[in-house]
Amino acid sequence: MLIGVLGLQGAVSEHERMLADCGAKTRRVKTPEDLNGLDGIVVPGGESTAIRKLLVRESMLEPLRDLVAQGLPTFGTCAGMVLLAQPESLAGIHADVERNGFGRQRESFESDLQVTGWETPFHGVFIRAPYLKSVSAPAEALITLDDGRIVAATEKNVLTTAFHPELTGDKRFHQYFIDEFVKATTKTA
Ligand code: GLN
């Protein structure tokens, strides 16, 4: 199993380490050719405008958007969630995204999150995080805060979190991506 980590900007090596800890091989994706033969891809956090510009510059925006549309298992965190929710970027999830949605006072914060079916909460690290105001089918909210903001959501082959699981010691989100998205797809392929 080979999982790419989009390596143009942002928290790249942290994702690679987490995926390796889960037993996956990783490839840093910097050119359109690097997209070939992947079983899944992570779009990391960073700065979504910068990552989008680099995707355009490297002629990767359309190829990656096509792969996502064709069903490549894709995990976007923070800026990755923004790019996946923007129709003009990766268009991977039907959701209305608010960039930097927590405002200045709460630029960065941490919060324990309840995930349905998980025994203990997941520690969410939010850094100038987006949130989803709403999702529409076939997208589904995975984690909704008490105030209604959606901070994790899925759609078919796409998993997104507004927070940074790669900055915790907790592998559960990466393992969830591998088990429920990558392995599920590989089995039926
Ligand atoms: N605010 C950033 C953006 O919209 C995302 C921040 C992050 O990825 N930590 O691109």
Side-chain angles (χ1 to χ4, degrees):
M1 178 198 307
L2 179 63
I3 304 199
V5 180
L6 186 66
L8 300 174
Q9 197 258 348
V12 178
S13 54
E14 292 86 347
H15 274 295
E16 290 171 339
R17 201 167 46 236
M18 283 299 238
L19 292 164
D21 283 352
C22 295
K25 265 194 247 150
T26 66
R27 175 195 290 161
R28 199 169 286 204
V29 174
K30 296 182 137 185
T31 67
E33 294 70 44
D34 294 337
L35 291 167
N36 294 334
L38 297 176
D39 299 306
I41 190 162
V42 172
V43 183
E47 218 287 311
S48 56
T49 320
I51 298 176
R52 185 176 197 286
K53 276 190 194 140
L54 292 166
L55 280 168
V56 171
R57 194 183 78 186
E58 302 301 323
S59 307
M60 290 169 74
L61 184 63
E62 281 181 23
L64 181 52
R65 186 197 291 147
D66 289 349
L67 284 170
V68 174
Q70 286 158 18
L72 180 70
T74 304
F75 180 16
T77 58
C78 203
M81 171 189 256
V82 174
L83 292 165
L84 284 159
Q86 288 173 331
E88 71 278 20
S89 297
L90 296 176
I93 186 159
H94 288 84
D96 191 5
V97 67
E98 186 76 19
R99 281 188 67 196
N100 305 318
F102 293 90
R104 281 184 163 268
Q105 283 94 14
R106 301 190 74 202
E107 265 212 340
S108 299
F109 65 98
E110 304 192 4
S111 174
D112 281 334
L113 305 167
Q114 297 296 335
V115 188
T116 311
W118 293 14
E119 270 176 28
T120 55
F122 191 90
H123 192 67
V125 177
F126 294 79
I127 305 169
R128 292 185 298 285
Y131 69 88
L132 302 178
K133 285 188 268 193
S134 61
V135 298
S136 47
E140 283 178 43
L142 189 61
I143 304 175
T144 306
L145 302 183
D146 290 341
D147 62 10
R149 297 178 213 221
I150 298 164
V151 294
T154 65
E155 176 169 330
K156 296 182 189 162
N157 52 308
V158 174
L159 170 66
T160 60
T161 63
F163 49 91
H164 289 266
E166 78 284 7
L167 300 182
T168 67
D170 191 338
K171 294 189 297 200
R172 282 181 292 172
F173 259 97
H174 290 78
Q175 197 67 59
Y176 176 64
F177 175 61
I178 288 172
D179 291 345
E180 301 298 326
F181 292 76
V182 182
K183 284 188 184 160
T185 308
T186 321
K187 251 182 252 157
T188 53

